[in-house]
Amino acid sequence: MAGRHHLFIPGPTSLPERVLRAMDRPTIDHRGPAFKKLAGDVQEGLRWVFGCAGPVVVYPASGSGAWEAALVNTLSAGDRVLMYETGHFATLWRDIADKLGLEAELIAGDWRGGADPDAIARRLREDRDKTIRAVCVVHNETSTGCVTDIAAVRRAIDAEQHPALLMVDTISSLGSMPYRADEWGVDVTIGGSQKGLMLPPGLSFNALSSRAIAASQVGGLARSYWDWGAMLDINSRGFFPYTPATNLLFGALEAVEMMQSDGLDAIFSRHGSFGRATRAAVGAWGLELQCTDPVAHASSSLTAVRVPEGHSADAIRAVALDRFDLSLGNGLGRLADRVFRIGHLGDLNSLSLLSAIAGVEMSLGLAGVPHRKGGVEAAMNLLAATPETVELMTAGRDATPLKRATA
């Protein structure tokens, strides 16, 4: 098709030209002085993004690798970990824990909200012998568009005076939603390059607290590639224990410099407006959000939209791709063909988002899905409004579905 492809999945996201150009260079010697400076600058920038003073371990891997690294460095065979079922990716993390020989307990959830700190506190209260070694939570559940209050989870753990480590997946929130690893008392933060950081897939991260490092020095599962010890030792001298993804690191430095130029507050505000505008469009269409409490739990990175009973979310996505060269996210796990997801994170502006919302509105009509018109106008009104007007427009408002789908 003529024109550019419209990529509005929740990641990988579109790449800024500056990042593309930064990676478009000859590979350098990863044992030389130029690389040492690059690695040091990337480390400093990533600590700023994560909101941490400790080291950030960088792996040439996907986010799944960073999940595994967090577990194998801190936990031993048979250790108990507590997880919360916020959606598809929370269950995948549980599956990795099971395969590693850990005893993973998943608090059941309905995939329509964030993790419940009170439920976590109750379970920890029952653990009188303090045998649960870690609490693992997804900050922004990419399959549902629901967010967890991480600071509240930390308070719940502390209120029970429980020593469990807190591990948090920020793969689809880092760089697009507020996150403060040290301030919120997170021990291991898991991140990935391909979403809010505006990079290609291929880098994953573990941001570490001193407690996590101490745990890795006295325990842990068998590991080699994922070993923090080897990484931290040679990282301190500016290098990696094996070949790093050199050109991706050039891109990472450029992306962080772009973010620093904008400032995190401005970035988070922009993504917040994208989330509100998208939810306003969904409400105007009369469709239902997967997130049942958007005031408390709605994501700024993506919006998951439920389709009415008897209609196919995948059919809408197929029409969008075929007619408008627009890629939308599919439903995952139990939400397969029940929801489509609109990603609104990364290198994005208001006009780009409006093009996606227009594409969705046209696709709903072509796919024969019952809806009202006016989604584009509702989103446009919010994106053009002043902050004071936005507050008035969104106060207490939620999507009003034409027909509620079953949970």
Side-chain angles (χ1 to χ4, degrees):
M1 289 185 179
R4 298 190 66 171
H5 176 62
H6 293 261
L7 183 67
F8 281 84
I9 62 175
T13 59
S14 297
L15 304 183
E17 289 295 326
R18 279 181 56 179
V19 170
L20 287 168
R21 298 292 77 79
M23 296 186 295
D24 184 15
R25 64 178 72 190
T27 302
I28 64 172
D29 176 10
H30 61 284
R31 304 295 182 202
F35 181 84
K36 179 178 181 179
K37 183 179 187 316
L38 170 65
D41 290 344
V42 169
Q43 267 285 325
E44 182 179 353
L46 288 174
R47 286 195 292 270
W48 174 78
V49 174
F50 280 94
C52 68
V56 180
V57 176
V58 182
Y59 294 105
S62 70
S64 298
W67 276 345
E68 182 164 333
L71 297 173
V72 300
N73 279 282
T74 57
L75 304 170
S76 300
D79 278 353
R80 301 175 68 200
V81 293
L82 183 64
M83 298 174 159
Y84 198 101
E85 187 189 10
T86 49
H88 181 70
F89 290 96
T91 62
L92 289 182
W93 199 2
R94 186 275 313 272
D95 291 346
I96 289 176
D98 285 341
K99 291 174 182 176
L100 292 172
L102 301 171
E103 187 180 328
E105 178 182 343
L106 192 68
I107 297 176
D110 63 3
W111 293 36
R112 305 205 68 175
D116 181 358
D118 292 336
I120 292 172
R122 286 193 297 271
R123 184 64 193 88
L124 293 177
R125 194 175 308 136
E126 295 167 356
D127 181 33
R128 294 184 176 86
D129 295 330
K130 312 300 185 189
T131 58
I132 293 174
R133 293 289 310 281
V135 174
C136 301
V137 179
V138 175
H139 181 213
N140 185 68
E141 177 55 66
T142 319
S143 64
T144 67
C146 297
V147 181
T148 290
D149 184 340
I150 300 301
V153 173
R154 177 76 265 176
R155 289 193 298 270
I157 297 171
D158 291 346
E160 300 304 323
Q161 299 183 334
H162 202 287
L165 296 170
L166 176 58
M167 303 186 189
V168 178
D169 169 346
T170 65
I171 291 172
S172 63
S173 58
L174 188 70
S176 55
M177 298 170 59
Y179 185 79
R180 305 175 184 91
D182 285 356
E183 181 181 330
W184 294 349
V186 180
D187 294 299
V188 187
T189 303
I190 289 88
S193 59
Q194 73 275 19
K195 297 182 187 284
L197 294 187
M198 306 179 293
L199 290 162
L203 295 180
S204 66
F205 313 103
N206 281 171
L208 311 179
S209 75
S210 57
R211 290 184 71 225
I213 295 172
S216 74
Q217 293 168 343
V218 298
L221 293 159
R223 70 263 193 191
S224 175
Y225 184 85
W226 305 117
D227 185 24
W228 288 346
M231 290 287 274
L232 293 175
D233 177 52
I234 198 166
N235 278 177
S236 67
R237 302 192 295 275
F239 302 104
F240 282 69
Y242 40 69
T243 306
T246 310
N247 286 51
L248 281 175
L249 293 176
F250 280 124
L253 181 59
E254 189 70 21
V256 169
E257 288 178 350
M258 290 175 65
M259 295 173 70
Q260 289 174 331
S261 178
D262 286 345
L264 287 176
D265 288 344
I267 292 170
F268 299 153
S269 176
R270 181 169 68 244
H271 283 82
S273 70
F274 295 159
R276 288 189 296 272
T278 305
R279 293 192 296 274
V282 175
W285 293 327
L287 298 182
E288 185 179 1
L289 298 170
Q290 178 64 19
C291 180
T292 54
D293 185 358
V295 175
H297 295 294
S299 170
S300 296
S301 298
L302 71 129
T303 298
V305 185
R306 294 174 71 92
V307 299
E309 292 289 347
H311 294 272
S312 166
D314 289 343
I316 299 167
R317 294 175 52 250
V319 169
L321 182 61
D322 181 60
R323 291 294 301 273
F324 307 114
D325 204 15
L326 167 64
S327 287
L328 301 169
N330 63 312
L332 299 170
R334 68 170 71 167
L335 299 180
D337 205 26
R338 296 300 315 281
V339 307
F340 62 89
R341 296 174 296 149
I342 305 171
H344 36 77
L345 71 164
D347 184 39
L348 184 66
N349 60 31
S350 296
L351 289 179
S352 297
L353 178 61
L354 286 171
S355 73
I357 291 172
V360 172
E361 187 161 326
M362 290 186 288
S363 299
L364 290 171
L366 291 169
V369 175
H371 70 288
R372 297 188 291 260
K373 302 293 184 182
V376 175
E377 183 177 3
M380 187 168 56
N381 289 340
L382 267 174
L383 292 170
T386 64
E388 295 77 15
T389 305
V390 168
E391 186 174 351
L392 291 172
M393 294 169 68
T394 58
R397 187 162 110 179
D398 194 356
T400 305
L402 288 171
K403 180 181 178 182
R404 288 281 177 186
T406 57

